[in-house]
Amino acid sequence: MTVRKGKSLAISIQEHMAIDVCPGPIRPIRQISAYFPRLSPTSSFSEPLSPSHGAAPANLSPGCTGGHGGVASGTGGGTTSLGTLEFDLLYESATSSLHCTVLKAKGLKPMDFNGLADPYVKLHLLPGACKANKLKTKIVRNTLNPVWNETLTYCGITEEDMYRKTLRVSVCDEDKLTHNEFIGESRVALRRVKPDQTKHFNICLEHPPPLPSPTAMSSALRGISCYLREWETEQQRSLEERGRLLLYRARGGLCVGVKRCAHLAAMDVNGFSDPYVKTYLKPDVHKKSKHKTAVIKKTLNPEFNEEFFYEISFSELATKTLEVTVWDYDLGKSNDFIGGVSLGCHSQGEALQHWIDCLKNKGKKVERWHTLTNELPGSTTQE
């Protein structure tokens, strides 16, 4: 079409829109997911967004390359060897003790700038409070092949614990200026360890178990209200374990020995407690049966080794109940109740069995661990 000079070109609104708005074929609008591609064994970054736009992803190549490199390095980190760890486990049923002898590690992952590490081993019993059952070896400096030959012991481990608990063994690197770094871990079900038999382990360290995926989390959230109702009902029926107490009854009358506690509940803000033990022989008409141990500061595994003697005949003992409570000492305010146990003819389980054994074996020392609970029937939880 030719236009003479001096004359304006008359263009309709339809033609104007066709020229300015639609200069060419309509291209598909990219979705936001195109900029964050999902990696899978069957997908790659070379796949085009559409048949007519095979070269379109080339504009995203710098970002995609970086993302692919990050994912590849993470995947490679999962397969990179973190090292191996050798240790022995021995459960002594007579003393209710679990011994873990940490021997050595080989080929640990370098964590420091010098290509070495300052490794140590931590033990945790799962499930359970972390500080209450954490044990730690010494630190071996500047090595990837440390040798410890160190034995760590858990006291108050019952056969039930051996069946249902898991030992978490983790290797960490100490950093004086920053937080200690995690190297790797392994988890051993204690049911694999037979009583009074040493079992040797030579395991490869692994990364911690991954967190649940968003899909799994959303599925869990859909049932959380129902779970909470079930949990509250269960809490009303069952008692909370607050720790373990080792008691024994010895010669003549009633000699109560408070030896030690293990895995007590933390009652202070520093993650520890200042525990002490009180004993009562009830019914106590004259209120003279109270005995109290010394306070052990800042610990969840105190050792008392104290004895209290009650002068009482055997016939009267059969009608009495021994109540033992563990408290956390607080200066300037009320002491916190940690847990307790009641031994008598009306008790149940291990407490009843211990009381019967004491009555049968007159004059003999009968020693046994007891589980502390957050409630004590027939007694008050006020200091």
Side-chain angles (χ1 to χ4, degrees):
M1 178 174 55
T2 60
V3 180
R4 294 182 181 181
K5 186 176 181 181
K7 292 185 178 181
S8 60
L9 179 63
I11 301 177
S12 64
I13 187 64
Q14 292 83 359
E15 292 175 332
H16 174 78
M17 295 296 295
I19 294 173
D20 294 344
V21 179
C22 301
I26 298 176
R27 297 182 182 182
I29 300 175
R30 294 180 185 176
Q31 297 180 354
I32 190 65
S33 59
Y35 297 90
F36 301 95
R38 296 181 179 178
L39 293 179
S40 66
T42 59
S43 66
S44 64
F45 288 93
S46 60
E47 295 179 357
L49 291 177
S50 65
S52 60
H53 264 327
N59 299 330
L60 301 176
S61 58
C64 293
T65 304
H68 185 269
V71 175
S73 62
T75 305
T79 57
T80 302
S81 175
L82 301 177
T84 61
L85 180 66
E86 290 188 45
F87 59 94
D88 294 333
L89 290 179
L90 172 63
Y91 175 65
E92 294 182 354
S93 55
T95 58
S96 299
S97 301
L98 176 63
H99 305 280
C100 179
T101 302
V102 183
L103 301 175
K104 59 183 178 180
K106 289 184 180 179
L108 295 180
K109 180 181 177 181
M111 304 300 292
D112 298 336
F113 291 110
N114 58 3
L116 300 175
D118 302 320
Y120 64 93
V121 176
K122 289 193 303 182
L123 303 181
H124 291 93
L125 282 177
L126 305 177
C130 291
K131 284 193 176 182
N133 57 45
K134 182 180 77 173
L135 298 178
K136 190 170 92 171
T137 67
K138 62 184 179 182
I139 300 171
V140 182
R141 303 285 180 184
N142 297 322
T143 180
L144 299 179
N145 302 285
V147 177
W148 289 284
N149 288 326
E150 188 173 347
T151 300
L152 306 175
T153 301
Y154 282 106
C155 299
I157 304 299
T158 62
E159 293 183 0
E160 182 183 357
D161 293 330
M162 294 297 295
Y163 178 77
R164 66 185 182 90
K165 284 187 179 290
T166 298
L167 180 66
R168 180 193 181 198
V169 185
S170 55
V171 181
C172 300
D173 168 62
E174 190 210 34
D175 284 328
K176 293 184 178 180
L177 301 180
T178 60
H179 294 291
N180 297 343
E181 297 179 297
F182 177 85
I183 298 179
E185 71 168 32
S186 181
R187 304 190 181 198
V188 179
L190 295 182
R191 66 171 67 96
R192 297 174 56 186
V193 181
K194 297 181 179 180
D196 304 314
Q197 295 183 17
T198 301
K199 187 172 181 62
H200 180 75
F201 293 88
N202 187 2
I203 49 91
C204 294
L205 297 175
E206 302 174 350
H207 290 283
L211 295 175
S213 63
T215 304
M217 287 295 292
S218 60
S219 300
L221 290 176
R222 283 197 294 268
I224 194 169
S225 60
C226 177
Y227 167 79
L228 288 176
R229 286 195 296 268
E230 293 175 356
W231 183 81
E232 291 172 357
T233 305
E234 184 65 23
Q235 286 296 103
Q236 293 174 0
R237 292 197 301 262
S238 62
L239 297 178
E240 176 188 353
E241 181 177 327
R242 291 293 187 89
R244 305 293 171 84
L245 176 67
L246 182 59
L247 297 174
Y248 61 89
R249 186 254 190 188
R251 63 198 175 277
L254 178 63
C255 182
V256 180
V258 181
K259 195 168 185 179
R260 65 189 304 170
C261 294
H263 321 320
L264 292 179
M267 308 302 291
D268 297 335
V269 293
N270 59 5
F272 294 97
S273 295
D274 302 322
Y276 67 94
V277 178
K278 294 194 302 180
T279 65
Y280 292 90
L281 193 60
K282 295 187 176 182
D284 184 16
V285 179
H286 302 289
K287 297 184 179 180
K288 295 182 179 180
S289 67
K290 175 182 174 181
H291 290 285
K292 186 164 63 173
T293 68
V295 177
I296 309 296
K297 295 286 186 178
K298 198 178 179 181
T299 180
L300 300 177
N301 301 280
E303 293 191 23
F304 299 100
N305 293 317
E306 297 189 33
E307 291 185 351
F308 307 117
F309 183 76
Y310 293 98
E311 189 173 352
I312 186 173
S313 64
F314 180 81
S315 58
E316 291 179 314
L317 190 60
T319 62
K320 295 288 186 178
T321 298
L322 177 67
E323 292 185 357
V324 185
T325 55
V326 183
W327 298 79
D328 168 56
Y329 175 77
D330 288 325
L331 182 62
K333 59 179 182 178
S334 298
N335 298 332
D336 299 320
F337 174 73
I338 297 179
V341 63
S342 177
L343 287 79
C345 295
H346 300 289
S347 302
Q348 297 178 354
E350 291 292 331
L352 176 61
Q353 188 60 46
H354 193 188
W355 188 255
I356 293 176
D357 292 343
C358 290
L359 297 180
K360 287 182 178 179
N361 300 279
K362 185 178 180 180
K364 294 183 180 180
K365 182 178 179 179
V366 182
E367 185 177 283
R368 187 164 296 178
W369 281 94
H370 293 279
T371 300
L372 301 175
T373 59
N374 60 332
E375 294 180 8
L376 185 58
S379 70
T380 178
T381 57
Q382 297 294 328
E383 169 60 303

